[in-house]
Amino acid sequence: MFPEYRDLISKLKTSDHHFARLFDKHNELDERIQRMEQGIEPGTHEQIETLKKEKLLLKDQLYDILRKAAAH
């Protein structure tokens, strides 16, 4: 996710608590969605779609933080 910001992501994960929480939550959702899609964890199509939307919102928030941090 966001390879052009790899260094900045590493920096923000240690210096920005809010960013780190959002990043971890995004990764947790991604893993959960994958487990549901693979049938490892139970989940309906609707539940998976809801989680995907939540993950996308987190990704948008992360991108906004990255853009602002890169501009400084």
Side-chain angles (χ1 to χ4, degrees), residues 1 6 9-10 12 17 21-23 30 34 38 41-44 47 50-51 56-58 60 63 68-70 72:
M1 178 173 63
R6 185 172 292 128
I9 288 169
S10 294
L12 289 174
H17 184 67
R21 278 197 344 258
L22 292 176
F23 192 86
D30 189 50
Q34 287 181 25
Q38 295 168 359
E41 184 175 322
T44 65
Q47 289 171 317
T50 299
L51 292 176
L56 186 58
L57 288 173
L58 288 170
D60 288 345
Y63 184 67
K68 290 174 185 170
H72 288 108

Side-chain angles (χ1 to χ4, degrees), residues 18-71:
H18 178 65
F19 180 86
R21 278 197 344 258
L22 292 176
F23 192 86
D24 290 344
K25 178 70 174 169
H26 178 275
N27 286 340
E28 288 169 15
L29 282 174
D30 189 50
E31 291 172 12
R32 185 166 181 215
I33 290 165
Q34 287 181 25
R35 288 192 309 268
M36 287 177 151
E37 289 177 336
Q38 295 168 359
I40 297 168
E41 184 175 322
T44 65
H45 177 72
E46 291 78 17
Q47 289 171 317
I48 293 170
E49 290 304 309
T50 299
L51 292 176
K52 284 183 176 181
K53 289 175 185 174
E54 186 179 341
K55 186 180 110 173
L56 186 58
L57 288 173
L58 288 170
K59 187 173 184 178
D60 288 345
Q61 292 174 26
L62 290 166
Y63 184 67
D64 285 343
I65 293 169
L66 287 168
R67 278 188 320 120
K68 290 174 185 170

